Amino acid sequence: MDTVVVTDVPRAPLVAIDRLALFGVATVHEALGRTGFLGTAHRPTHLGSRIGGSAVTALCWPGDNLMIHAAVEQCRPGDVLVVTTTSPCTDGMFGELLATSLQERGVRGLVIDAGVRDIAELHAIGFPVWSRAVSAQGTVKSTAGAVNVPVVVGAQRINPGDVILADDDGVLCVPRDDVPSALERAHARVDKEEATRQAFRDGQLGLDRYGLREKLAALGVRYVTAAEYGVR
Ligand SMILES: O=C([O-])CC(=O)C(=O)O
Ligand SMILES: [Mg+2]
C-alpha cells in the first residue's frame, strides 16, 4: 500500500451535488442503470438524513484511526468522508470528537466500513453516519495508511472526488464524470414516476400500465377460481 496523503482532489460542483442529493439514493441508483450501490451493510445512525457530497477517502488499518485524523485536514465544505480498513474491522474508530472536527470543516457526513461510537452525541450535534457497526471498542493512532486513494467499500470502487449520496436506503457512489448524466436521467425518472403515481392514484394497476398481463400469459401463468383450485 502507498502510504500517501493526496491533496487537492478535484470535486464536482456543489450546486450539481446538491441537486443530485435531492433525488435520493434509490432514484439515482435506478437512473444510473442500477449501479453504484454500496450494499446493505452500511446503516444510518440517523434515520431521515439525506446527504450528498464529494468523497474524501481514508484507508486505515483495523483498530487504528490515525489516517482519519490525516483525512480531516483534506476535507472541505460539501465533502463526505469515506473510511475503510485494510482488513475487516467493527471497532468504534470514529465518534463525536472527530465529528465535531469534521463539522467545523463543513463536512456533511461519514461513511465508514467499520464501527462508530458516541451515537447519542452524534445525534445531539446532528452529524449523520452510515456504518457497518456500532461499537464502543476504542482504537489507537499508530499505523500509516492512505488518504484520498481509490478504495473499495461494499461492492463499489470509490475514487476521491466521486459523489457520495446517502439516505435511509443506503449509500451510493456516483463517479464524478457521471454527475451531469445522472442529473438528467434522475429528472426523467422522477417525471416518469410522477405520471405513474398519478395513474396509481386514479386506480390503474401496474399489471395494465406495464403490460404485465401479456407477460404473465406468455410465462404460462393461469387464472383459476378458488373453487377450481380446491379452496373452500
Ligand atoms: O476518539 C476516538 O478515537 C473516536 C471517538 O470516540 C471520537 O472521535 O469521539
Ligand atoms: Mg468519543
Side-chain angles (χ1 to χ4, degrees), residues 36-42 82 111 153-156 158 164 170-173:
F37 183 50
L38 268 55
T40 55
H42 307 95
V82 176
V111 176
V153 181
Q156 298 301 321
I158 300 172
I164 301 296
V171 183
L172 188 76
C173 176

Side-chain angles (χ1 to χ4, degrees), residues 36-43 55-60 81-86 110-114 130-132 149-160 162 164 170-173:
F37 183 50
L38 268 55
T40 55
H42 307 95
R43 299 306 306 147
V56 168
T57 66
L59 178 57
C60 299
L81 181 59
V82 176
V83 174
T84 189
T85 51
T86 53
L110 170 80
V111 176
I112 182 164
D113 205 25
W130 285 258
S131 76
R132 182 176 284 281
V149 296
V151 294
V152 174
V153 181
Q156 298 301 321
R157 175 189 165 107
I158 300 172
N159 290 308
D162 283 348
I164 301 296
V171 183
L172 188 76
C173 176

Side-chain angles (χ1 to χ4, degrees), residues 190-205 209-210:
V190 163
D191 289 348
K192 186 167 159 241
E193 287 200 343
E194 182 47 36
T196 303
R197 191 171 297 111
Q198 191 53 54
F200 284 177
R201 280 197 195 109
D202 294 342
Q204 190 180 21
L205 298 180
R209 188 165 183 84
Y210 303 134

